[in-house]
Amino acid sequence: MSGNKKIEEGVEHVKNAEKSLKTSLLKWRPDYENAADEYNKAATCFRNAKAFEQCKDCLLKAVDCHKQNRALFYAAKALDQCVLICKELGDLREVASLAERAANMYQTHGSAESAAASLDKAAKILEAQHPADALRLFQRAAEIAMIQDSSRQAAEYTSKVARLHVKLQQYDLAADALRRELGLHQQNESYQAAGRLTVALVLVQLARGDVVAAEKAFKEWGNYCEGPEVQTLEMLLQAYDEEDPENANRALNSPFIKHMDVEYAILARDMPLPEGLQSPPKASVRENAASSYESQSEKGNTKSEEVGDTENQEKTEGKEPEEGDEYAGGLC
């Protein structure tokens, strides 16, 4: 019942807004300020009644009124409200475009921090289901932060960009983003964060299949790593260099790698291990090969002996007695 009451109240505010936009002989210009206020009130009523489609429609009309009145900051705020309503509706298709419009208005008004925050808020909504759109918004937020010389904020947005590249398996772009993030942390003297990022960069280079690049990353940034991190990375790189899958798996399962950001922990879990040195295949030996060879030899020897005996017998039978043989004619 209260929902119906709120809807009726919202409809009344819409009517008032429409009246404010009408012109007459004595009213040459619409009252955009009052109309925007009435549309905002109507949107609040519809939102409380959970009539989200009507709420979104009123907010977009309020945006137009604020633009006509050159109140860009309030127009951007109305667009931010639209993003939240899209989340309530479960329809995220327009979230990225609404956030980008809001950011443009904030920047035109001179509120760069609000622009970056608006993009960040929308990107978080999109991150799970639409990571590519979220990536674009985080990149835009990082650019705005860099323009404002806010290196800490830029490092935070760049970190999200790098993690999304890893999630999307865009390892070349992830490596570039990690280098930029390392440079920002070095500029801010955040050495502990730089050490953890060195581990992430080595993992990404190994995922690219480039062991040489991983070793270069360790040599360049490894001085920011702590003792356990250095030992683990040395073991990992040596294992990949020597193609030792057991030590590589042991290094990838080290506790601090498992407790890194989710994207890097998953990357380490699914990392292809080195194949290792394969032993040469054993020569295939036919069973009973030797015995059959011996049997053939024996058969050959037996046959030779038989042939020799036959020849000797023939020679003996066909031989005439010699003259000098005193027993040639027998004893008699």
Side-chain angles (χ1 to χ4, degrees), residues 127-139:
E127 194 170 359
Q129 298 181 24
H130 302 278
D133 291 336
L135 177 61
R136 188 174 75 248
L137 297 182
F138 281 133
Q139 286 173 331

Side-chain angles (χ1 to χ4, degrees), residues 248-266:
N249 187 47
R250 191 177 298 113
L252 290 170
N253 283 308
S254 63
F256 80 88
I257 288 182
K258 285 188 172 182
H259 288 88
M260 291 177 70
D261 290 325
V262 176
E263 291 81 8
Y264 299 124
I266 293 174

Side-chain angles (χ1 to χ4, degrees), residues 162-233:
R163 295 203 301 268
L164 278 174
H165 278 311
V166 171
K167 185 176 182 179
L168 295 170
Q169 297 183 356
Q170 299 170 347
Y171 298 128
D172 291 343
L173 296 173
D176 293 338
L178 282 168
R179 289 193 197 96
R180 287 197 301 273
E181 188 182 356
L182 277 164
L184 290 168
H185 282 302
Q186 189 179 28
Q187 182 180 339
N188 297 327
E189 299 182 357
S190 302
Y191 301 128
Q192 187 175 3
R196 289 194 299 270
L197 283 177
T198 303
V199 179
L201 182 56
V202 169
L203 291 175
V204 168
Q205 297 290 18
L206 290 176
R208 290 179 61 241
D210 195 341
V211 180
V212 175
E215 291 175 352
K216 285 183 179 178
F218 178 59
K219 288 177 182 177
E220 184 178 359
W221 302 99
N223 56 327
Y224 294 116
C225 296
E226 297 180 357
E229 295 172 347
V230 171
Q231 292 175 2
T232 303
L233 287 180

Side-chain angles (χ1 to χ4, degrees), residues 13-302:
H13 284 300
V14 171
K15 289 178 180 178
N16 293 335
E18 290 172 352
K19 285 179 185 178
S20 299
L21 293 174
K22 288 180 179 179
T23 57
S24 64
L25 291 174
L26 301 176
K27 184 186 174 186
W28 294 357
R29 188 177 185 276
D31 188 353
Y32 291 115
E33 185 177 354
N34 188 63
D37 186 51
E38 291 292 335
Y39 278 129
N40 281 326
K41 289 177 181 178
T44 302
C45 293
F46 289 134
R47 184 173 186 175
N48 291 335
K50 296 186 178 180
F52 297 120
E53 286 289 354
Q54 291 169 281
C55 176
K56 179 183 172 185
D57 184 57
C58 287
L59 286 170
L60 291 174
K61 288 178 178 177
V63 169
D64 291 335
C65 292
H66 284 306
K67 282 177 64 180
Q68 291 293 336
N69 205 33
R70 297 182 181 179
L72 294 181
F73 183 83
Y74 294 107
K77 285 187 71 175
L79 285 171
D80 282 342
Q81 292 297 316
C82 279
V83 168
L84 298 177
I85 295 302
C86 287
K87 181 183 177 183
E88 294 289 345
L89 286 168
D91 185 5
L92 305 180
R93 292 173 297 177
E94 297 181 52
V95 167
S97 60
L98 291 171
E100 286 172 335
R101 283 180 61 193
N104 289 335
M105 290 179 186
Y106 279 128
Q107 279 188 289
T108 305
H109 181 264
S111 304
E113 291 182 5
S114 298
S118 178
L119 292 166
D120 180 52
K121 190 187 302 180
K124 286 176 180 176
I125 294 172
L126 294 170
E127 194 170 359
Q129 298 181 24
H130 302 278
D133 291 336
L135 177 61
R136 188 174 75 248
L137 297 182
F138 281 133
Q139 286 173 331
R140 175 83 184 279
E143 290 171 3
I144 293 172
M146 288 294 293
I147 292 170
Q148 296 299 312
D149 290 331
S150 179
S151 55
R152 291 186 184 277
Q153 201 68 35
E156 181 182 342
Y157 296 139
T158 307
S159 172
K160 294 174 182 178
V161 169
R163 295 203 301 268
L164 278 174
H165 278 311
V166 171
K167 185 176 182 179
L168 295 170
Q169 297 183 356
Q170 299 170 347
Y171 298 128
D172 291 343
L173 296 173
D176 293 338
L178 282 168
R179 289 193 197 96
R180 287 197 301 273
E181 188 182 356
L182 277 164
L184 290 168
H185 282 302
Q186 189 179 28
Q187 182 180 339
N188 297 327
E189 299 182 357
S190 302
Y191 301 128
Q192 187 175 3
R196 289 194 299 270
L197 283 177
T198 303
V199 179
L201 182 56
V202 169
L203 291 175
V204 168
Q205 297 290 18
L206 290 176
R208 290 179 61 241
D210 195 341
V211 180
V212 175
E215 291 175 352
K216 285 183 179 178
F218 178 59
K219 288 177 182 177
E220 184 178 359
W221 302 99
N223 56 327
Y224 294 116
C225 296
E226 297 180 357
E229 295 172 347
V230 171
Q231 292 175 2
T232 303
L233 287 180
E234 286 177 346
M235 181 194 299
L236 181 62
L237 291 171
Q238 185 177 358
Y240 272 87
D241 188 51
E242 297 177 356
E243 297 187 357
D244 184 352
E246 291 184 5
N247 280 333
N249 187 47
R250 191 177 298 113
L252 290 170
N253 283 308
S254 63
F256 80 88
I257 288 182
K258 285 188 172 182
H259 288 88
M260 291 177 70
D261 290 325
V262 176
E263 291 81 8
Y264 299 124
I266 293 174
L267 177 65
R269 184 195 67 188
D270 299 336
M271 182 83 68
L273 298 174
E275 296 179 359
L277 298 175
Q278 298 180 353
S279 56
K282 294 181 180 179
S284 57
V285 179
R286 198 172 49 163
E287 292 185 3
N288 302 325
S291 59
S292 61
Y293 175 79
E294 290 173 0
S295 61
Q296 290 294 333
S297 302
E298 289 173 0
K299 286 179 183 178
N301 292 337
T302 305

